[in-house]
Amino acid sequence: MSAVLRITRPLSRSLASAATRGYASKRKVQQDPNAVPLDQAISILKAYEVGQPQQTVELHVHCTPEKGQPPIRGSCILPRAYRSGITVVVFAEGEKAKEAQAAGADYVGGEELVNKVRDGEIKFDKCLSTPEMLPKVAKIARMLGPKGLMPTVNKGTVTSDIMDAVKYSKNSQDFRADKAFIVHTGVAKVGFTVDEIKGNIGTVMESIRANAKGSKAKFISRVFLSSTRGPGILVADA
């Protein structure tokens, strides 16, 4: 019969708490047996999308934020851009309007442009504003806000440096988490090389981790990779 160790007195609260934390941390570091290396996940998706190089590779990042975590969102410049034809609206007047046009903005204007957006006459992907125009843009905040398009100082979409902002908007990748704290975003085309796809994924992951209020190591719990026709694959090392 094996020996049984009996504890004649309860653990102190601090020791019990430490033991619980230790057990929890050991459970978290256990690797999910269904997870595969990133290289293998990319190869699987490429196999599903044979002959379809323009299909999109998508990243689904499950976050575990601490209490009081601000909204998880951001933007970054991908090593190799995969989207084209991004439509940018700029609310500006005078010299700033001319700068926006020179930088490649698709729609530029003042209050008349606000009215066109309000009436649904224009479809666009990103929206910028000069500080002077923001009070007028605020009239359509309820329309732009739920879509993540309302210009704000924190996001850098309200700025006097319109020329650089337009160039950044044309080439940047935006993301935001849903109510379940999951970020869903495209990252590449299937026809990109494995290294190009990995480079884009690494850039997005770094930008997502930058949102962490506490430990970046514990901020992300699971990462899935998928494509237009491929399955969702749990990644071990994203």
Side-chain angles (χ1 to χ4, degrees):
M1 181 181 295
S2 60
V4 176
L5 177 63
R6 298 186 62 187
I7 300 175
T8 57
R9 57 192 180 119
L11 288 170
S12 68
R13 184 172 297 179
S14 60
L15 287 174
S17 177
T20 302
R21 287 198 304 269
Y23 174 68
S25 64
K26 287 179 181 178
R27 287 198 308 169
K28 284 186 177 181
V29 299
Q30 288 181 351
Q31 187 66 59
D32 190 310
N34 295 316
V36 302
L38 181 56
D39 289 70
Q40 184 178 344
I42 294 172
S43 296
I44 292 171
L45 295 182
K46 281 179 170 289
Y48 269 89
E49 303 285 5
V50 170
Q52 300 291 330
Q54 292 303 311
Q55 302 286 37
T56 301
V57 177
E58 301 168 357
L59 193 64
H60 309 273
V61 182
H62 295 240
C63 301
T64 53
E66 295 184 0
K67 187 176 181 180
Q69 169 70 44
I72 301 170
R73 62 190 180 196
S75 63
C76 55
I77 298 292
L78 299 177
R80 181 178 176 184
Y82 79 97
R83 296 178 62 189
S84 60
I86 294 176
T87 303
V88 177
V89 161
V90 177
F91 296 105
E93 296 177 324
E95 288 300 317
K96 294 300 179 182
K98 294 178 182 179
E99 290 180 14
Q101 291 171 338
D106 299 278
Y107 298 97
V108 182
E111 191 165 6
E112 76 285 354
L113 183 58
V114 172
N115 294 335
K116 288 183 178 181
V117 172
R118 180 199 62 199
D119 296 337
E121 296 180 20
I122 298 173
K123 293 182 179 180
F124 53 95
D125 303 298
K126 298 183 180 182
C127 182
L128 303 172
S129 174
T130 60
E132 295 77 16
M133 278 297 304
L134 190 58
K136 295 180 180 179
V137 179
K139 297 177 183 178
I140 53 174
R142 290 186 178 181
M143 175 184 294
L144 298 178
K147 301 176 183 178
L149 293 172
M150 182 62 192
T152 67
V153 174
N154 290 341
K155 291 193 298 183
T157 47
V158 175
T159 177
S160 295
D161 190 1
I162 284 295
M163 185 167 289
D164 283 347
V166 171
K167 292 178 180 178
Y168 184 89
S169 296
K170 281 285 188 178
N171 295 286
S172 64
Q173 174 71 9
D174 298 335
F175 64 83
R176 62 185 300 181
D178 59 19
K179 293 182 179 179
F181 303 111
I182 304 174
V183 175
H184 306 277
T185 182
V187 290
K189 293 296 183 182
V190 172
F192 287 10
T193 68
V194 171
D195 286 341
E196 287 172 337
I197 296 174
K198 289 174 65 177
N200 281 4
I201 289 173
T203 298
V204 174
M205 292 295 293
E206 181 179 353
S207 188
I208 293 174
R209 287 190 177 97
N211 281 263
K213 181 181 178 182
S215 171
K216 292 184 179 182
K218 298 178 181 179
F219 185 62
I220 294 174
S221 58
R222 293 185 299 168
V223 178
F224 290 85
L225 201 64
S226 68
S227 64
T228 307
R229 298 187 305 176
I233 304 170
L234 181 60
V235 179
D237 56 346

